[in-house]
Amino acid sequence: MQWTLVVPLKPLARAKSRLSDTAADGVRPGLALAFAQDTVAAALACAAVRDVAVVTDDELAGRELAALGARIVPDEPGGGLNAALAHAAAVVRSRSPECAVAALNADLPALRPPELARVLAAAAEFPRAFLADAAAIGTTLLAASPGHELCPAFGTDSRARHRDSGAVELPLATVDSVRQDVDTGDDLRAALALGVGPRTAAVAARLLIPGHPGT
């Protein structure tokens, strides 16, 4: 099964506020963009992924991610994360009604294509399925097989919310790169330990994070 991924990205100026203890205001937009670039590049390199649609109204991010090969979908609803994902999924399926769709976080800078392929292969066995994040509270990927709506429920305690919505949790081991989203300084250090993509590595090197090879 080939998948279309929908990746939500808020305006860079408002992104990653919880990294304020690690990255200054002037650095966080570039860091958020680097996360998204490394995430999209890895996703596009995954054999199970047909294409990637990024839903964003940020012009810079749109240009940079389109240059990598992503399709850009404007956030027309402007109603928050779940509305953006539902809108992007509808746009994708208006062109390919029978495609499999998965929502993927934009902050997975350590993402590895083979691990993503394993997650998507497991998700293909169910109408809807999701992968919990490294903290076991949130969600990094939500998948809907052909003929099934995505029905995103991201936000606080999204792991429980997606489970309660009827989506099947994927109990996969050794897919750490698909689970490790980055919201805090500790998350960033964990992603760096896994090994991040080149754009995130370049920005992180300027942050002088202890233990990072660039320091």
Side-chain angles (χ1 to χ4, degrees):
M1 186 181 293
Q2 290 285 296
W3 294 80
T4 292
L5 304 187
V6 290
V7 177
L9 183 62
K10 67 173 60 175
L12 298 176
R14 296 193 284 107
K16 298 301 162 192
S17 59
R18 291 171 61 192
L19 278 170
S20 58
D21 63 339
T22 304
D25 291 349
V27 176
R28 287 199 303 275
L31 195 56
L33 177 57
F35 292 166
Q37 289 173 303
D38 286 334
T39 299
V40 168
L44 286 169
C46 176
V49 174
R50 183 178 67 178
D51 58 357
V52 174
V54 176
V55 54
T56 186
D57 281 339
D58 192 286
E59 293 185 4
L60 173 60
R63 288 195 304 272
E64 294 295 330
L65 297 172
L68 293 176
R71 181 196 318 174
I72 306 303
V73 177
D75 183 8
E76 292 178 358
L81 175 58
N82 291 312
L85 286 170
H87 168 65
V91 169
V92 164
R93 282 186 165 163
S94 70
R95 302 178 183 183
S96 303
E98 297 304 316
C99 72
V101 176
L104 181 72
N105 287 12
D107 57 353
L108 299 168
L111 185 64
R112 291 177 171 81
E115 292 185 11
L116 177 59
R118 284 191 59 218
V119 174
L120 292 172
E125 300 296 320
F126 305 99
R128 292 174 63 244
F130 73 95
L131 186 74
D133 65 7
I137 297 172
T139 303
T140 57
L141 181 143
L142 172 69
S145 294
H148 299 274
E149 295 298 320
L150 190 61
C151 301
F154 287 86
T156 304
D157 297 327
S158 67
R159 178 189 185 190
R161 294 170 67 188
H162 283 131
R163 188 169 53 227
D164 292 345
S165 77
V168 174
E169 181 169 359
L170 300 173
L172 299 175
T174 65
V175 291
D176 293 347
S177 76
V178 196
R179 295 185 186 274
Q180 189 57 66
D181 54 353
V182 177
D183 289 315
T184 67
D186 286 343
D187 293 337
L188 179 54
R189 284 181 278 274
L192 290 169
L194 287 174
V196 296
R199 299 163 188 85
T200 300
V203 178
R206 300 198 298 269
L207 298 177
L208 301 179
I209 296 173
H212 180 54
T215 60

